Amino acid sequence: MSSRLPPSSTPSGAQGLPHSIDSTDMCRAGRELLSLALIDARNQTLHLLSLYEEAMGADALVRPPAPEEEGVVPAAWLAGHIGWFAEWWIGRNTQRAFGPDCPVRPTRLAAIEPGADDWWSPMPHAPSHRRWPADLPDLGQTRAYLLETLESTLELLEHAAETDAGLYFYRLALFHEDLRGEQFVVMAQTLGLPLGIEQAPIAVTHPPLLLPATRWELGSSESGFAFAQERSAHRVDVPEFEIDAQPVTWNQYIEFVDDGGYDREELWHAEGWRWLAAQVEGRRGPRHVEQIGVARNGTGGSVLQQRFGATVRAAGHHSAVHLSWWEADAWARWAGRRVATEVEWEIAAHVAARRGFRWADVHEWTAGTLQPWPGYRADPWSAGGEFDPEAAFGRARVLRGASFATRARLRSLKRRSFALPERDDGFFGFRTCAL
């Protein structure tokens, strides 16, 4: 079976179809590569679930986190939800062939597992005692459900039309599972679980880059899959700017801390200062940092950080991580710079890679709030409420790039994720531009 779309159904202008399940062009993948990628994603989910079981024990995985942490859910629930999501939008969705034009509440069939909706349906706004059922199934039943839903998905994929509409929900299910896979890794960091995950070595740092004024096209205009907040294409004029070649490093962040950055209200946005005051008393550094400051001899600095349950010394040239947007903004004010905009980030990532522009070790906060682009249209998933950018418009901040925990096929220069500015549990950093 070919992974290329037949000529009669290939969207006009489509090109760059993927040759690997790790390619960022998987958003345009045909049935054959989608099948392989879905198997790969499910194997990764099962692997992560096994690592959690080794670290915590099977019984702990079905219980709600205690104390309750932002972004932390029962690991067994998250695994089951991944299978439920694919079945909800593919196996049970009788109108899946409509793709993004599918109704938000299509006609649905019964689930493979009668209790699936009670166990694994998302209830993002419910109190925790209702969000996580007390009778979640054990890991054996959860794994069986993951295998059954994968088998069902693959069988239906064999008969799906090789068009963007026909493959829409299969691509969505793949990227949703990849996103949840990174959530597993973030939760492990929050809970201090040793998963044996290592960050790749980071190259040397480079001086800031000066880029000329340009007219740039933001947003996706190509065929294939894109999340709702990434559509649609529009052009913007961007004046000349100077941007950091890499995210702000620990060496740079240490100077801010040593200069009293966490005690100087004038450096903080008013809402950010209130956020800081609400944190654990005496907080003087990013989340998971046990010690940070200039070395005793006055040269260089030191950061001791909790990393998957172990205390490690962070390399000074590595990107500072687990930063809220408020901390990023305060650092930029202290340095006499500003947080980069998302269009500046995207331009530099496209045109300055050979000049030392480095990305993909942390997700990067950008300036301004998340807003819909011209022609925005909710897709069935976002309109359904689980992952709704509309609820975040004007509140959340845009994150660009990727982290070491992001699957390769999601590391797109067009990727546009978002989070509320107080979130610091993710692998979040930032870079700045000259004023």
Side-chain angles (χ1 to χ4, degrees):
M1 185 186 301
S2 171
S3 64
R4 290 188 174 274
L5 303 181
S8 60
S9 60
T10 301
S12 175
Q15 54 183 305
L17 295 178
H19 300 285
S20 162
I21 62 171
D22 291 326
S23 169
T24 55
D25 290 321
M26 281 298 296
C27 60
R28 293 187 289 279
R31 290 194 302 246
E32 183 176 336
L33 275 185
L34 270 176
S35 177
L36 294 174
L38 286 163
I39 294 170
D40 169 71
R42 189 56 47 88
N43 283 339
Q44 176 71 355
T45 297
L46 291 167
H47 174 62
L48 289 166
L49 191 60
S50 295
L51 292 177
Y52 266 75
E53 184 179 12
E54 292 175 14
M56 298 180 69
D59 292 341
L61 300 194
V62 300
R63 294 198 299 266
E68 191 168 327
E69 285 271 9
E70 182 76 26
V72 175
V73 302
W77 179 88
L78 185 57
H81 170 71
I82 288 169
W84 175 90
F85 183 93
E87 188 186 21
W88 180 257
W89 287 113
I90 299 173
R92 299 170 61 184
N93 181 5
T94 64
Q95 294 165 279
R96 61 184 174 271
F98 288 100
D101 294 322
C102 173
V104 176
R105 295 176 179 81
T107 305
R108 284 198 167 90
L109 305 174
I112 293 173
E113 168 54 65
D117 290 343
D118 292 330
W119 290 332
W120 297 307
S121 175
M123 298 177 65
H125 306 298
S128 59
H129 68 276
R130 291 184 54 207
R131 199 182 313 159
W132 321 126
D135 62 340
L136 279 175
D138 62 26
L139 292 188
Q141 192 172 351
T142 302
R143 288 188 174 102
Y145 179 70
L146 285 168
L147 294 173
E148 286 184 274
T149 51
L150 175 63
E151 182 178 358
S152 170
T153 296
L154 296 178
E155 288 176 356
L156 292 170
L157 176 58
E158 288 183 6
H159 306 287
E162 288 219 270
T163 62
D164 282 342
L167 298 178
Y168 173 84
F169 284 109
Y170 300 92
R171 293 166 177 166
L172 171 62
L174 171 65
F175 294 131
H176 173 265
E177 188 152 0
D178 287 341
L179 290 171
R180 296 303 192 180
E182 182 159 355
Q183 184 179 351
F184 266 113
V185 181
V186 171
M187 286 186 353
Q189 168 69 341
T190 301
L191 297 171
L193 302 183
L195 296 192
I197 297 173
E198 298 293 337
Q199 185 172 356
I202 294 177
V204 297
T205 57
H206 292 271
L209 305 165
L210 183 64
L211 296 177
T214 187
R215 186 168 175 79
W216 190 259
E217 184 174 275
L218 274 174
S220 175
S221 61
E222 300 174 344
S223 61
F225 178 88
F227 293 106
Q229 71 275 10
E230 296 165 355
R231 295 188 180 274
S232 57
H234 61 288
R235 291 189 172 272
V236 293
D237 291 313
V238 183
E240 179 183 80
F241 62 97
E242 179 202 276
I243 188 169
D244 293 333
Q246 58 279 313
V248 168
T249 65
W250 281 121
N251 280 340
Q252 293 173 297
Y253 202 83
I254 286 171
E255 295 180 24
F256 166 73
V257 176
D258 193 59
D259 197 33
Y262 280 83
D263 297 304
R264 295 169 56 182
E265 184 176 356
E266 74 274 12
L267 297 176
W268 293 75
H269 187 287
E271 193 173 344
W273 187 249
R274 288 193 292 272
W275 167 82
L276 182 60
Q279 302 308 297
V280 176
E281 185 178 356
R283 174 166 172 162
R284 292 297 180 272
R287 185 175 179 137
H288 301 303
V289 166
E290 293 186 349
Q291 180 181 315
I292 181 170
V294 173
R296 290 182 180 178
N297 61 8
T299 60
S302 176
V303 177
L304 295 181
Q305 181 186 36
Q306 277 288 321
R307 188 170 178 80
F308 299 107
T311 300
V312 300
R313 189 175 299 278
H317 65 283
H318 281 199
S319 302
V321 67
H322 294 301
L323 295 159
S324 69
W325 190 91
W326 303 124
E327 288 166 300
D329 181 60
W331 188 96
R333 291 170 189 247
W334 168 82
R337 294 176 68 83
R338 59 180 176 81
V339 177
T341 66
E342 61 174 312
V343 67
E344 289 168 336
W345 187 97
E346 185 174 313
I347 291 170
H350 273 91
V351 307
R354 294 185 180 180
R355 296 171 54 192
F357 187 90
R358 189 186 84 209
W359 67 284
D361 44 311
V362 291
H363 295 280
E364 300 179 39
W365 292 111
T366 61
T369 57
L370 176 72
Q371 298 291 348
W373 283 339
Y376 170 83
R377 175 187 170 201
D379 56 29
W381 179 29
S382 59
E386 182 193 357
F387 184 80
D388 185 4
E390 292 186 30
F393 287 153
R395 299 172 56 237
R397 303 284 174 165
V398 175
L399 289 154
R400 285 304 197 108
S403 82
F404 68 94
T406 306
R407 295 302 301 267
R409 53 182 165 256
L410 272 180
R411 296 182 181 184
S412 168
L413 298 181
K414 292 285 187 180
R415 172 96 182 276
R416 192 185 192 218
S417 54
F418 56 89
L420 293 176
E422 63 266 22
R423 291 295 293 268
D424 57 4
D425 54 320
F427 303 113
F428 300 157
F430 67 103
R431 77 180 72 216
T432 64
C433 289
L435 294 175

